[in-house]
């Protein structure tokens, strides 16, 4: 019965005639549906408007539509859309019909699509494309998402900076007005503020510190793009460039610049620049070369090439007994660079203060700003290069001796005429001669010595010796040496590093003594000390491509024999290498070729008899010796640009050294003193990451 009454009420509404005084196009109807079934209401509106509806089977329920006074017949369909939306359903325009589906499925059905302004009205579901001109579409998604129902969609297309929104027509109109208000590009355009009295560079630094601190007072303000102000100084025009998305903060920055850009009461234009990385004296010389075009000053401050001096020692002089010392001066690596005098050119005066590592510049603002820009580009942190070096020297000596010596001296004890003879090879005192062995068995050289002895015999001029009739001697020596050095060098880019491992040996360079009875000054001699051992000098230069150019000088020297007294001084053996190579960061380069190979073959024999095959060995003594020396240098440079890489290298070397110390510590024993290696203090331990 209720459904019958509702349907009857709907039919009565349809039978209402036109209101008097209205045209047929403006025919009014009164809608009065209370708890009416959706299907019945849709049918009634369809007969009113002449539309065809297709109702989804999931569309169920009742609606309430009450009009206090007659409304135009054309308003019946929009009121039906509003009633359906309140129940969670939506209408989708089709080809000559209208589909009624649940709201969640509305966005998947073909809805009207249009760019630009929204032409439709009411609760019609449609898709609109908004192309933004200034703002980012991806950022606006988070702003507009709360304004769109959960069942409808919003997406950003970054390629065209567009927003694609599927929603009801009335809500799309509201969103369009919001987008139009937000998409304004005036706040993000840079603003140029000319500076009349102050320095643009100084003002930019002051404002950056001030506005950055204010903007980062809280985490929220630091993360908001509208709270940031970009401030850049243009030294060429002495201007400041401002950019911000917040017009208020932009105006505030401009106001601060106007307040600070005022003439000061001080006379002159004296400025002090404290350098962080570069050396003030060298920067001053560079500025002098730039302003005057004279490069002699800058060249005088450049460090000497590591390859200019091949000597590895530092010159010094020591006095002999009662003598006057000589002098030989060398520059100390710890002596600071000489401070240059004041440079006055082009209305500017530049003075370097090495004590505070600062530049004092007296110049007009325009010149000062240009100099300030140059100094800032020069005063950057220089990269370092860590060079790992492996020096290997391999020496191999092999020698062999074999020979037979004999002698017949038995006839010396008889007064009759006798024939004596024998063979003896090698000089006396070398341990190889048969006479030395016969005189003293202990004088025999090393190796295998076999002989035949029969009593003793007296030799005039020598004395009584052992009657050694035959001596067979064989010796083979094999000596190998492997000298390994692993020095590590850490130096600044384009700065020389040097390591010396060896002895400082004195060499006599001059002397003066008294001669005859002539009265002369006190005798004296001058001595020059030179380093003998391992010397390595490396000068790295980092290129823009990341490779490292290495200027290398390496020398290995040693004293030939300390027991030999030479009137001219000791004799040294030296092998040196000098080269320029190009190595990639972290790669290994090997330098070799210092190979020395010598072969000597000596033979002592009796003429003719020593050449007879087989039996000739009884009349021959042979010695062979071969010496081979090979020196190779391996280098691996590592560029260090930040503290992370430096910390990793430091920790690795530190752990290695501590491990080796613990391995070398002796084992603990009872009643023995503690000889373990103490742990280094905490202040010397590297910081672990």
């Amino acid at each position: 019965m209720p459904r019958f009454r509702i349907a009857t009420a709907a039919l009565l509404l349809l039978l209402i005639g036109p209101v008097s005084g209205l045209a047929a196009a403006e025919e009014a109807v009164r809608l009065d549906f209370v708890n009416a079934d959706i299907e019945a209401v849709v049918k009634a509106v369809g007969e009113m408007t002449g539309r065809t509806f297709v109702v989804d089977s999931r569309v169920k329920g009742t609606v309430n539509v009450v009009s206090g006074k007659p409304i135009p017949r054309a308003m019946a369909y929009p009121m039906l859309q509003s009633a359906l939306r309140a129940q969670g359903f939506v209408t989708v325009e089709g080809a000559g019909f209208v589909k009624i589906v649940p709201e969640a499925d509305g966005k998947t059905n073909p809805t009207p699509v249009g760019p630009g302004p929204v032409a439709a009205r009411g609760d019609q579901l449609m898709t609109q494309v908004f192309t933004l001109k200034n703002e980012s579409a991806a950022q606006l998604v988070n702003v507009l998402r709360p304004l769109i129902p959960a069942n409808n969609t919003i997406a950003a297309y970054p390629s065209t900076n567009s927003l694609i929104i599927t929603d009801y027509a009335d809500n799309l109109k509201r969103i369009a007005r919001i987008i139009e208000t937000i998409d304004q590009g005036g706040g993000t355009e840079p603003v140029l503020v000319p500076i009349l009295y102050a320095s643009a560079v100084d003002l930019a630094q002051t404002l950056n510190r001030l506005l950055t601190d204010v903007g980062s007072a809280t985490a929220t303000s630091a993360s908001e793009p509208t709270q940031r102000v970009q401030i850049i100084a243009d030294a060429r025009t002495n201007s400041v460039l401002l950019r911000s998305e917040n017009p208020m903060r932009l105006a505030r920055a401009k106001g601060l610049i106007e307040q600070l850009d005022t003439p000061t009461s001080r006379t002159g234009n004296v400025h002090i620049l404290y350098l962080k990385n570069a050396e003030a004296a060298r920067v001053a010389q560079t500025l002098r070369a730039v302003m005057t075009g004279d490069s002699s000053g800058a060249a005088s401050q450049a460090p000497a090439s590591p390859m200019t001096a091949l000597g590895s020692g530092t010159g010094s002089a020591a006095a002999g007994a009662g003598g006057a010392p000589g002098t030989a001066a060398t520059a100390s690596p710890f002596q600071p660079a000489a401070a240059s005098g004041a440079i006055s050119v082009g209305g500017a005066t530049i003075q370097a203060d090495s004590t505070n590592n600062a530049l004092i510049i007296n110049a007009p603002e325009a010149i000062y700003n240009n100099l300030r820009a140059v100094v800032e580009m020069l005063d950057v942190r220089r990269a370092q290069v860590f060079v790992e070096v492996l020096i290997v020297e391999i020496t191999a000596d092999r020698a062999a001796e074999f020979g037979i010596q004999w002698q017949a001296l038995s006839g010396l004890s008889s007064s009759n005429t006798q024939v004596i003879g024998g063979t003896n090879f090698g000089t006396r005192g070398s341990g190889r001669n048969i006479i030395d062995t016969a005189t003293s068995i202990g004088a025999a050289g090393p190796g295998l010595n076999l002989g035949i002895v029969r009593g003793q015999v007296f030799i005039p001029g020598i004395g009584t010796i052992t009657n050694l009739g035959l001596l067979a001697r064989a010796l083979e020596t094999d000596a190998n040496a492997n000298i390994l050095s692993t020095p590590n060098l850490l130096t600044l880019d384009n700065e020389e590093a040097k390591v010396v491992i060896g002895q400082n040996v004195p060499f006599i360079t001059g002397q003066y003594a008294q001669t005859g009875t002539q009265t002369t000054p006190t005798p004296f001699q001058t001595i020059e000390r030179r380093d003998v051992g391992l010397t390595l000098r490396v000068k790295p230069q980092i290129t823009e491509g990341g490779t490292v150019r290495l200027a290398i000088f390496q020398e290995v020297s040693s004293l030939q024999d300390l027991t030999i007294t030479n009137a001219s001084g000791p004799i040294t053996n030296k092998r040196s290498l000098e080269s320029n190579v190009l190595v990639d960061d972290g790669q290994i380069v090997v330098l070799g070729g210092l190979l020395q190979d010598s072969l000597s073959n000596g033979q002592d024999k009796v003429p003719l008899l020593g050449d007879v095959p087989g039996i000739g060995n009884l009349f021959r003594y042979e010695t062979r010796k071969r010496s081979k020396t090979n020196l190779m240098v391996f280098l691996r440079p590592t560029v260090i640009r930040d503290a992370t890489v430096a910390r990793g290298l430091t920790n690795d070397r530190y752990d290695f050294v501590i491990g080796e110390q613990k391995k070398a510590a002796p084992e603990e024993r009872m009643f023995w003193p503690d000889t373990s290696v103490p742990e280094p203090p905490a202040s010397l331990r590297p910081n672990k990451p």
Side-chain angles (χ1 to χ4, degrees):
M1 292 299 295
R3 287 181 176 272
F4 178 77
R5 288 195 298 269
I6 296 172
T8 302
L11 293 175
L12 290 175
L13 291 173
L14 292 174
L15 296 176
I16 297 175
V19 180
S20 58
L22 295 176
E26 298 179 356
E27 184 180 358
V29 296
R30 184 186 297 273
L31 299 181
D32 193 2
F33 298 99
V34 179
N35 293 327
D37 188 73
I38 291 179
E39 294 181 0
V41 176
V42 170
K43 182 178 180 181
V45 174
E47 293 180 359
M48 290 182 188
T49 60
R51 294 176 181 268
T52 301
F53 292 94
V54 177
V55 183
D56 192 279
S57 60
R58 293 170 291 178
V59 178
K60 302 291 184 181
T62 60
V63 295
N64 295 311
V65 180
V66 179
S67 60
K69 60 181 180 179
I71 61 174
R73 189 181 295 270
M75 291 294 298
Y77 178 60
M79 291 187 66
L80 175 63
Q81 289 179 318
S82 299
L84 292 174
R85 179 181 176 184
Q87 299 299 322
F89 306 112
V90 67
T91 61
V92 180
E93 300 287 343
F97 62 91
V98 180
K99 292 173 61 177
I100 301 177
V101 296
E103 188 180 36
D105 296 339
K107 58 180 177 292
T108 61
N109 285 270
T111 58
V113 179
V118 181
R121 297 187 61 184
D123 294 321
Q124 179 183 350
L125 190 67
M126 61 182 303
T127 302
Q128 199 74 12
V129 179
F130 299 93
T131 302
L132 306 182
K133 298 180 180 178
N134 301 290
E135 298 298 328
S136 171
Q139 294 181 357
L140 280 184
V141 169
N142 297 328
V143 177
L144 300 177
R145 177 72 262 184
L147 305 178
I148 299 173
N151 290 327
N152 296 334
T153 61
I154 177 174
Y157 186 60
S159 298
T160 58
N161 197 33
S162 301
L163 288 173
I164 304 173
I165 304 175
T166 299
D167 202 358
Y168 299 101
D170 287 343
N171 199 30
L172 285 176
K173 287 180 177 292
R174 182 180 65 151
I175 292 175
R177 291 192 297 270
I178 295 174
I179 293 176
E180 183 180 358
T181 304
I182 294 177
D183 192 23
Q184 302 293 331
T188 59
E189 294 296 329
V191 177
L192 179 65
V193 181
I195 307 301
L196 302 178
Y197 305 102
S199 169
V201 178
D202 294 337
L203 276 182
Q205 292 182 354
T206 303
L207 292 177
N208 274 320
R209 288 195 299 266
L210 176 63
L211 297 180
T212 300
D213 294 340
V214 173
S216 61
T218 61
T220 303
S221 60
S223 61
E224 292 181 359
T226 57
Q227 299 300 318
R228 293 196 297 264
V229 181
Q230 294 180 341
I231 305 172
I232 302 175
D234 182 20
R236 187 181 65 86
T237 60
N238 197 34
S239 304
V240 176
L241 292 172
L242 302 177
R243 183 176 180 179
S244 176
E245 297 182 5
N246 190 333
M248 297 297 295
R249 292 186 63 83
L250 189 63
R252 181 182 179 187
K254 292 178 62 178
L256 290 175
I257 292 177
E258 293 177 356
Q259 295 177 10
L260 294 174
D261 186 24
T262 57
T264 59
S265 58
R266 66 178 184 178
T267 58
N269 296 285
V270 179
H271 307 273
I272 299 178
L273 295 180
Y274 292 95
L275 305 184
K276 299 178 181 179
N277 302 283
E279 296 183 18
R282 293 189 178 183
V283 173
Q285 292 294 337
T286 302
L287 295 178
R288 172 187 178 183
V290 171
M291 299 180 67
T292 63
D294 181 14
S295 60
S296 59
S300 63
Q301 295 296 328
S305 171
M307 307 309 151
T308 54
L310 298 181
S312 60
T314 57
S316 62
T327 58
T330 57
S332 172
F334 300 100
Q335 184 178 2
S340 61
I343 304 169
S344 298
V345 60
T349 302
I350 304 173
Q351 173 66 44
D353 182 12
S354 300
T355 304
N356 297 311
N357 197 34
L359 292 176
I360 304 174
I361 301 177
N362 185 5
E365 291 296 335
I367 299 178
Y368 167 72
N369 290 330
N370 292 332
L371 294 177
R372 176 71 174 271
V374 174
V375 171
E376 287 186 350
M377 288 186 286
L378 294 176
D379 188 25
V380 295
R381 178 174 178 175
R382 298 168 62 185
Q384 300 183 91
V385 180
F386 179 75
V387 183
E388 298 176 271
V389 185
L390 178 63
I391 302 175
V392 182
E393 183 180 3
I394 302 174
T395 303
D397 292 335
R398 302 190 65 181
E401 299 181 18
F402 180 78
I404 296 176
Q405 304 175 58
W406 57 270
Q407 61 183 0
L409 303 177
S410 299
L412 290 176
S413 60
S414 175
S415 59
N416 298 326
T417 301
Q418 300 288 338
V419 177
I420 64 173
T423 60
N424 55 86
F425 303 113
T427 58
R428 293 290 305 272
S430 62
R432 298 185 306 174
N433 193 280
I434 190 174
I435 301 299
D436 290 341
T437 305
T439 304
S440 174
I441 298 298
L448 178 62
N449 294 276
L450 297 177
I452 298 176
V453 180
R454 183 179 180 181
Q456 293 180 338
V457 64
F458 178 80
I459 299 178
I462 297 178
T464 302
I465 63 173
T466 303
N467 188 10
L468 181 61
L470 179 67
L471 175 63
R473 185 171 183 274
L475 173 65
E476 182 177 357
T477 61
D478 190 355
N480 296 318
N482 186 2
I483 302 175
L484 179 66
S485 301
T486 58
N488 296 329
L489 300 175
L490 179 63
T491 181
L492 288 173
D493 178 27
N494 210 27
E495 293 289 346
E496 177 187 343
K498 176 182 177 181
V499 59
V500 178
I501 304 173
Q503 296 176 313
N504 194 256
V505 181
F507 291 85
I508 299 175
T509 58
Q511 59 184 356
Y512 188 85
Q514 293 181 353
T515 58
T517 59
Q518 184 179 0
T519 304
T520 60
T522 304
F524 68 90
Q525 63 180 4
T526 58
I527 297 175
E528 179 184 1
R529 292 186 174 270
R530 298 179 183 175
D531 294 329
V532 177
L534 172 65
T535 301
L536 176 66
R537 287 187 289 178
V538 178
K539 183 178 181 181
Q541 182 180 5
I542 304 173
T543 64
E544 290 296 332
T547 57
V548 182
R549 181 180 180 271
L550 295 176
I552 305 166
F553 175 79
Q554 192 268 337
E555 178 183 287
V556 177
S557 58
S558 61
L559 294 176
Q560 183 175 3
D561 193 350
L562 295 176
T563 61
I564 299 177
T565 302
N566 190 351
S568 300
I571 301 174
T572 59
N573 300 320
K574 183 175 71 173
R575 289 178 297 278
S576 64
L577 180 148
E578 181 179 353
S579 178
N580 293 297
V581 297
L582 196 66
V583 193
D584 291 333
D585 183 14
Q587 299 300 315
I588 298 177
V589 62
V590 57
L591 303 176
L594 301 181
L595 179 63
Q596 181 180 357
D597 192 355
S598 62
L599 175 63
S600 60
N601 188 6
Q603 188 179 74
D604 297 336
K605 64 181 179 179
V606 177
L608 299 178
L609 294 178
D611 297 329
V612 177
I615 197 174
N617 292 327
L618 300 175
F619 303 94
R620 187 168 57 239
Y621 193 94
E622 295 183 1
T623 59
R624 296 180 181 178
K625 183 177 181 180
R626 183 170 187 174
S627 299
K628 180 183 290 186
T629 302
N630 190 8
L631 177 64
M632 303 186 73
V633 181
F634 299 85
L635 299 101
R636 181 173 70 177
T638 301
V639 179
I640 300 177
R641 299 185 184 275
D642 50 30
T644 303
V645 179
R647 188 184 302 112
L649 292 173
T650 304
N651 293 339
D652 181 54
R653 298 302 180 273
Y654 180 84
D655 295 338
F656 172 76
V657 171
I658 295 301
E660 292 298 320
Q661 285 185 345
K662 292 182 179 180
K663 290 180 182 179
E667 298 181 359
E668 296 184 3
R669 295 184 180 180
M670 296 181 61
F671 309 110
W672 280 52
D674 185 12
T675 57
S676 60
V677 179
E679 290 289 338
S683 59
L684 297 180
R685 300 174 186 173
N687 297 325
K688 300 294 182 180

